Amino acid sequence: MSAELAFSAEDLARTRFAVSPMWEVGPSLRLLGSGAAHPVHRPWIEQVRPRIVAAGLDRGRLAELIPPSGYVPDFLNPTPPGPAPTLAAELAEIVAAPVAAVRRDLDRLRHERGRLGPRSEALYADPRARLARVAEEIEAYWELALAPYWARIRAVLDADVFHRARQVAEHGAGRVLNELHPSVSWHDDALRLARRERALSRRTAGVGLLLIPSVFTGPDPFTRVTPPEPPQLAYPARGIGALWTPRPITGSAALAAVLGRSRTLLLTELHTPASTTELAHRTGLSPAGVSQQLTALRDAGLVTAHRAGRTVLYARTSVAESLLTTTSR
């Protein structure tokens, strides 16, 4: 099946890009829940899946709302008001979702899945009381699965938006829309989605179009259509193939002269998020020494800390990534 969305001059004028944390939450949890191996995301899956299982998030409220395939309730992907909303801002929108909209989405989920899980039934009965619990579980999932990797993910998403914005400036919006994905094409003032199963028209969609790059969406784009809001099209971002490939470190010697050998060593070892115990084992430093150095690095904005059960995972920030990959002169 396919669907076609017509564009007026106003629709083109209101077409924009956004980076959305929730468009990473849903597809990434779906990937984990599918149990399938993934040629690109395998390193991430191997690190994250044990944490999610240990926390019980593979069988909680969010797992009921985001099945391994099929429809995901639209209220979980609120329309980003700007180019890069925070997770907190999106969670606030989810908690404030209209009761009628939540129940409408759950009715569709029930229809497509045959039934709702017990936690989803409780949400249907009292959305106002239960949405906050959904938001809390999303936040717990984010801390375990995405926050430690967000600097790397965000760099890919920002690079995609920058590339396509430059394409708009050099070649026009039509070319950008025509090159988003093999299943998406632009012709005669209309956007054609070759693999969309439900009909789509301007009578059933809002004005404009919101384009959202995602590292976990795929292999096909996802859509969200809830008028009068603009339709959302989440598509696989460029550069995903190299997302988890270790990056060459070229500036560590120069950096060590400024930060010291131990702190630079810890930064180089954080090519994947790790705990104090793991870093002590890898580097030969004492756990107390690692903890002290990580505190200094966190205060300097070079690492972030994320609780994973009884442990804390440390991850490099985008600033640290830039420092480590800058060639010493």
Side-chain angles (χ1 to χ4, degrees), residues 17 22 64 109-110 174 316 328:
F17 287 89
M22 282 306 302
E64 287 186 7
L109 183 64
R110 181 190 286 112
R316 292 195 301 232
S328 54

Side-chain angles (χ1 to χ4, degrees), residues 57 89 94 104 124 174 192 197 262-263 274 315:
L57 293 174
I94 291 171
R104 179 195 64 220
Y124 190 97
R192 186 172 183 268
E197 296 182 357
S262 295
R263 292 174 186 172

Side-chain angles (χ1 to χ4, degrees), residues 1 11 56 170 180 185 188 199 248 291 318:
M1 296 184 66
D11 292 315
E170 294 179 354
L180 282 175
S185 59
D188 289 340
S291 180
S318 57

Side-chain angles (χ1 to χ4, degrees), residues 2 7 38 57 62 66 93 100 123 135 167 172 181 191 198 230-231 241-242 260 271 300 318 321 328:
S2 65
F7 275 71
H38 193 283
L57 293 174
L62 202 55
I66 304 175
E93 291 291 325
L123 175 61
Q167 276 192 317
H181 188 269
L191 190 68
R198 296 168 68 92
H271 49 85
S318 57
E321 295 278 358
S328 54

Side-chain angles (χ1 to χ4, degrees), residues 74 79 101 104-105 196 199-207 224-232:
D74 291 326
T79 300
R104 179 195 64 220
D105 292 350
R196 180 177 165 85
L200 180 61
S201 71
R202 280 298 169 188
R203 292 176 304 190
T204 59
V207 176
R224 175 189 185 267
V225 181
T226 54
E229 299 172 0
Q232 298 183 35

Side-chain angles (χ1 to χ4, degrees), residues 249 252 255 263-272 282 316 324:
I249 294 174
S252 59
L255 193 58
R263 292 174 186 172
T264 303
L265 177 61
L266 290 172
L267 284 181
T268 59
E269 286 295 331
L270 283 173
H271 49 85
T272 59
R282 291 185 204 168
R316 292 195 301 232
L324 286 168

Side-chain angles (χ1 to χ4, degrees), residues 41-325:
H41 296 305
R42 179 178 176 182
W44 175 84
I45 292 171
E46 291 177 345
Q47 294 172 43
V48 170
R49 184 176 281 150
R51 300 178 207 155
I52 298 305
V53 172
L57 293 174
D58 60 323
R59 53 191 182 276
R61 293 179 178 83
L62 202 55
E64 287 186 7
L65 292 171
I66 304 175
S69 62
Y71 173 68
V72 173
D74 291 326
F75 70 83
L76 290 176
N77 294 106
T79 300
T86 63
L87 177 68
E90 293 192 318
L91 290 180
E93 291 291 325
I94 291 171
V95 171
V99 168
V102 173
R103 287 179 173 153
R104 179 195 64 220
D105 292 350
L106 293 177
D107 280 335
R108 179 178 169 186
L109 183 64
R110 181 190 286 112
H111 174 74
E112 295 199 7
R113 303 296 298 177
R115 66 179 184 86
L116 291 177
R119 295 175 182 85
S120 297
E121 288 286 7
L123 175 61
Y124 190 97
D126 192 356
R128 284 277 72 84
R130 304 284 178 171
L131 280 171
R133 299 184 186 181
V134 173
E136 289 171 3
E137 193 164 304
I138 293 171
E139 194 166 18
Y141 174 80
W142 176 266
E143 268 310 282
L144 290 174
L146 294 174
Y149 309 90
W150 186 239
R152 181 172 291 195
I153 292 170
R154 181 66 189 271
V156 171
L157 301 178
D158 287 345
D160 180 277
V161 173
F162 178 81
H163 169 78
R164 298 189 194 279
R166 184 168 182 174
Q167 276 192 317
V168 171
E170 294 179 354
H171 306 289
R175 176 154 171 181
V176 172
L177 294 172
N178 211 32
E179 294 184 355
L180 282 175
H181 188 269
S183 68
V184 179
S185 59
W186 171 262
H187 184 65
D188 289 340
D189 296 331
L191 190 68
R192 186 172 183 268
L193 307 175
R195 298 171 190 168
R196 180 177 165 85
E197 296 182 357
R198 296 168 68 92
L200 180 61
S201 71
R202 280 298 169 188
R203 292 176 304 190
T204 59
V207 176
L209 178 66
L210 189 53
L211 297 167
I212 302 177
S214 170
V215 303
F216 289 104
T217 292
D220 296 325
F222 292 158
T223 54
R224 175 189 185 267
V225 181
T226 54
E229 299 172 0
Q232 298 183 35
L233 176 62
Y235 62 90
R238 299 173 73 254
I240 295 173
L243 177 60
W244 308 117
T245 302
R247 300 174 184 179
I249 294 174
T250 57
S252 59
L255 193 58
V258 178
L259 296 181
R261 190 186 77 80
S262 295
R263 292 174 186 172
T264 303
L265 177 61
L266 290 172
L267 284 181
T268 59
E269 286 295 331
L270 283 173
H271 49 85
T272 59
S275 66
T276 300
T277 302
E278 291 173 314
L279 289 169
H281 178 73
R282 291 185 204 168
T283 62
L285 300 172
S286 69
V290 170
S291 180
Q292 181 181 14
Q293 302 294 2
L294 287 173
T295 297
L297 290 170
R298 184 175 59 181
D299 291 343
L302 298 179
V303 302
T304 53
H306 310 275
R307 181 159 293 280
R310 296 181 179 179
T311 64
V312 175
L313 294 174
Y314 292 87
R316 292 195 301 232
T317 65
S318 57
V319 175
E321 295 278 358
S322 297
L323 289 173
L324 286 168
T325 55

